[in-house]
Amino acid sequence: ATELFGTQFAKMFGHYVDFTNFLSVSEQAMANSSFVMFLHLGAMWWYQGYTRDHLMARHVTRIWLEQPWSELSAELSTKPHAALVVHVETGPWTRRLELRRGKSYSANVPLGQMAQIGAIHIDREKGEVVDDEALKAILSSSMYPATEDVSVDENAKSEAHIGDYEIMPLLTEDSTGVYKWMAELPPLLQRPLLWRGSSAFRNFGWASLAMGFGSVLMWLPPGTVPLPQVVQDALAPRRREFKY
């Protein structure tokens, strides 16, 4: 709304356009920029819906085991190749993962590494961890996804107004090494990957507002908003000399 109405206001009251005569170059730019602005608004509207679905698909709402942890822990300690079956719920999607140890599955990315790079988000601050030992075993670097089955709650998906969004599979191989590279990023660069959905969407909103106000400032008459001299020098048109 800021970009849509603010730019039109800045154009109408900050510039003079004579529609009775041939439009000048600046007037043509103003008319063409409105079409580009509507394309930009459409792209931003689509992207915010895609971002919302993506953040919902990565936010873990519940994790549970098929068997009690007391039985699984004893089985895992005596049988190295025993399976750890875990259900990971992210909004209307529920993944049934079978985690196993062994070199035959080591090409797959561990679930703990997927959480480390933000592919799935486990909110330890606002969430509740019932069994910390079981969660550590699920996120262990030695447990690799062997199989994955995805089920969808269509009613919940429809109520959340989610479109045809395809969630990212957690059973994947790191053939290019990009997951390992992301896991080894410095903490400062890795922090945005671990934002919770509310923080990421809030920052996206602030960025959208900044872009909207920036578009309005572009069409305000010069001098309306005082700018530092460095910015004025950068925006000022440079004088060019031509030799014939």
Side-chain angles (χ1 to χ4, degrees), residues 21-182:
N21 296 319
F22 182 76
L23 296 180
S24 63
V25 175
S26 60
E27 293 169 344
Q28 293 180 40
M30 291 171 62
N32 294 334
S33 67
S34 297
F35 176 72
V36 176
M37 181 194 65
F38 279 109
L39 289 179
H40 177 246
L41 290 175
M44 292 299 294
W45 184 259
W46 172 85
Y47 186 70
Q48 66 86 23
Y50 174 83
T51 304
R52 186 206 61 169
D53 295 347
H54 172 73
L55 294 174
M56 185 177 297
R58 69 183 279 272
H59 179 70
V60 176
T61 51
R62 190 165 58 128
I63 298 180
W64 71 93
L65 300 171
E66 280 197 353
Q67 295 177 255
W69 173 243
S70 57
E71 299 178 7
L72 280 173
S73 59
E75 187 176 355
L76 290 172
S77 60
T78 57
K79 299 178 181 178
H81 299 290
L84 175 61
V85 181
V86 58
H87 294 258
V88 181
E89 181 187 80
T90 54
W93 300 280
T94 301
R95 300 176 175 92
R96 182 187 181 275
L97 295 170
E98 188 177 290
L99 307 180
R100 291 182 179 271
R101 291 175 291 193
K103 292 184 179 180
S104 56
Y105 306 103
S106 60
N108 299 333
V109 182
L111 192 62
Q113 189 172 358
M114 300 293 277
Q116 185 181 357
I117 63 176
I120 57 172
H121 181 253
I122 301 175
D123 196 343
R124 295 175 179 266
E125 296 181 6
K126 294 189 175 182
E128 180 184 1
V129 179
V130 178
D131 194 327
D132 190 62
E133 185 181 353
L135 183 60
K136 287 181 180 178
I138 293 170
L139 301 179
S140 173
S141 59
S142 61
M143 300 297 294
Y144 304 97
T147 61
E148 179 183 20
D149 297 313
V150 181
S151 59
V152 185
D153 187 343
E154 295 294 342
N155 292 331
K157 187 177 179 181
S158 177
E159 292 177 359
H161 303 286
I162 298 174
D164 297 330
Y165 179 81
E166 296 292 335
I167 62 174
M168 174 184 176
L170 297 181
L171 175 58
T172 181
E173 295 183 2
D174 192 11
S175 56
T176 60
V178 64
Y179 292 101
K180 183 180 179 181
W181 173 77
M182 293 175 66

